[in-house]
Amino acid sequence: MGNLREIAKASTKLGLTSFGGPTAHLGYFRDEYVEKRKWLDDKLYADIVALCQFLPGPASSQVGIAIGMIRGGILGGIISWAGFTLPSVLFLMLAAYFVVGFNVTDSGIIQGLKIVAVAIVAHALLGMQKNLAPDAIRIGIAIAAAIGVLLIPTAWGQIGVIVVAGVVGYFLFRREQAPDAVELSLSFGKRAGIVAWILFAGLLVALPFVRTLTENVYVGILDTYYRVGSIVFGGGHVVLPMLEREVEMSSDLFLAGYGLAQAVPGPLFTLSAFLGQVTAGVPGALLAVFAMFLPSFLLVIGTLPFWSFIRTKKGIQAALKGVNAAVVGILLAALYDPVFTSAVKSSYDFIIVLITFTLLTAFKFSPLKVVAISALLGLLVYGV
């Protein structure tokens, strides 16, 4: 029970303070779970990040779920997800009642929250580079990965970069002695993993068929959000075009929900709470959130037991050196686009970046304090 309480405390803190989108979340997670609580090291953390980049769905949420499961079993994963996700779910459900007719996307506070993501990601990037790309060869892989992601700015481009980096790492490092493997102490095994994969595929096939038999709005929500959560790679930003096509809603209302989802802490996939609330009230919101994140649970449960086995193999360890370096490059590319390009629009914005980055790195301010300061500076510069 002690582990579960720790998971609840840590994940809820992250759920209340993790502003800035999926790439910034990885920085918050690293600060909390690697630097502060030392539940895992940079190597294992990067392995989990790389694993979740391969899986469809919200990568940052899956990282949190995986860490919770490693720490406290399947229940720990559920608690980790709930702490990280439910605060923004509640915020967005409430906002759905009041957002119509109000221009919330131009708020100075929201702009300040976007800007702080630049500092958070840059800070995480420095720490990860020291541990995961410490030499010239791996720095080269990281830079090549960043270039590849920027030249092919799609989810498939990102997956391709990781695969290529793994192959390069295998050939470059396969003769080196593999480091001691860190075993994952899981409360479930491969049998549970296989069952999870069967459920994942079965629901993906069955729900569209069931939907053809009824016009029930809740069945429609379950099918739409489960399918989107199952097949979208690349995180919250990538899910938007598919959701906009699937959900019958005005563009203005949809984009207002998107702006709010970026403004609140937690994963961008909680946009489903806003959209579900507008579509079918509180039951619609809760069902949309459940359906959107259910694939993530099934995929993580299905993959973790096998990942624990795979990562002990010498050849895989060599490949993971390349993959880990590529993760640094992917974060570097994300620091530029979408984090920097969407947040920094003027010299005033860049000044706030410099201030918040300095507070994080030189003065060791906590992310919560830096987020609050950035929001205040945004308010002072741009107004309400």
Side-chain angles (χ1 to χ4, degrees):
M1 292 299 295
N3 280 352
L4 297 181
R5 284 194 293 268
E6 288 181 355
I7 293 168
K9 181 179 178 180
S11 61
T12 302
K13 173 187 173 184
L14 289 166
L16 292 169
T17 61
S18 295
F19 295 94
T23 51
H25 297 162
L26 297 180
Y28 287 111
F29 284 0
R30 181 182 175 277
D31 284 342
E32 185 68 22
Y33 294 133
V34 178
E35 293 291 336
K36 181 179 178 181
R37 296 184 180 269
K38 301 189 185 302
W39 286 357
L40 63 168
D41 58 22
D42 260 321
K43 175 68 166 58
L44 178 55
Y45 180 68
D47 288 350
I48 292 172
V49 171
L51 166 64
C52 294
Q53 294 287 354
F54 279 107
L55 300 177
S60 62
S61 295
Q62 289 168 332
V63 169
I65 292 168
I67 293 173
M69 287 183 178
I70 292 169
R71 187 73 177 173
I74 292 177
L75 182 57
I78 293 172
I79 291 172
S80 180
W81 170 82
F84 181 58
T85 305
L86 291 185
S88 58
V89 166
L90 296 175
F91 292 151
L92 289 169
M93 288 174 64
L94 183 63
Y97 285 111
F98 303 105
V99 70
V100 177
F102 294 91
N103 183 10
V104 297
T105 57
D106 293 331
S107 166
I109 293 177
I110 292 177
Q111 181 62 16
L113 298 179
K114 291 180 181 179
I115 292 170
V116 76
V118 181
I120 294 291
V121 174
H123 183 232
L125 186 65
L126 288 177
M128 295 185 75
Q129 181 273 320
K130 292 177 183 178
N131 291 285
L132 305 179
D135 51 56
I137 292 177
R138 278 178 281 184
I139 288 175
I141 293 174
I143 297 300
I147 293 171
V149 170
L150 291 172
L151 291 178
I152 311 174
T154 65
W156 289 111
Q158 179 171 305
I159 294 169
V161 163
I162 291 176
V163 171
V164 171
V167 173
V168 171
Y170 173 80
F171 284 105
L172 289 178
F173 303 113
R174 70 185 187 278
R175 290 189 173 88
E176 294 185 5
Q177 181 65 38
D180 294 334
V182 179
E183 290 290 342
L184 300 180
S185 299
L186 299 173
S187 62
F188 55 94
K190 294 179 182 178
R191 181 177 298 179
I194 293 171
V195 170
W197 275 108
I198 293 172
L199 286 174
F200 170 79
L203 288 171
L204 193 58
V205 173
L207 286 175
F209 174 74
V210 174
R211 188 175 184 176
T212 63
L213 303 178
T214 178
E215 295 183 358
N216 184 281
V217 64
Y218 299 115
V219 173
I221 289 173
L222 187 61
D223 171 50
T224 295
Y225 290 92
Y226 183 86
R227 183 158 29 88
V228 171
S230 297
I231 62 179
V232 170
F233 288 87
H237 295 288
V238 182
V239 81
L240 295 174
M242 180 173 289
L243 272 180
E244 195 168 14
R245 289 192 300 268
E246 293 278 349
V247 178
E248 295 182 3
M249 190 175 298
S250 70
S251 295
D252 289 343
L253 191 56
F254 185 91
L255 291 176
Y258 171 53
L260 284 169
Q262 290 190 100
V264 300
L268 286 176
F269 268 50
T270 54
L271 173 62
S272 57
F274 180 93
L275 302 178
Q277 177 79 42
V278 173
T279 302
V282 172
L286 297 178
L287 184 60
V289 171
F290 169 78
M292 183 71 99
F293 286 95
L294 178 59
S296 296
F297 279 96
L298 295 177
L299 288 167
V300 171
I301 292 171
T303 306
L304 269 181
F306 298 96
W307 187 253
S308 178
F309 170 77
I310 289 171
R311 71 188 303 275
T312 65
K313 301 304 178 182
K314 184 176 179 180
I316 299 299
Q317 289 290 332
L320 283 177
K321 287 189 176 182
V323 171
N324 290 338
V327 169
V328 176
I330 290 170
L331 283 179
L332 175 60
L335 174 61
Y336 170 69
D337 185 13
V339 176
F340 190 93
T341 56
S342 64
V344 180
K345 302 296 184 181
S346 69
S347 58
Y348 296 108
D349 294 339
F350 192 61
I351 289 170
I352 297 175
V353 170
L354 294 177
I355 292 172
T356 52
F357 181 74
T358 302
L359 292 177
L360 275 173
T361 56
F363 294 94
K364 309 299 182 184
F365 275 39
S366 70
L368 175 59
K369 291 180 180 179
V370 174
V371 166
I373 290 169
S374 185
L376 177 60
L377 292 173
L379 180 63
L380 292 175
V381 173
Y382 295 103
V384 178

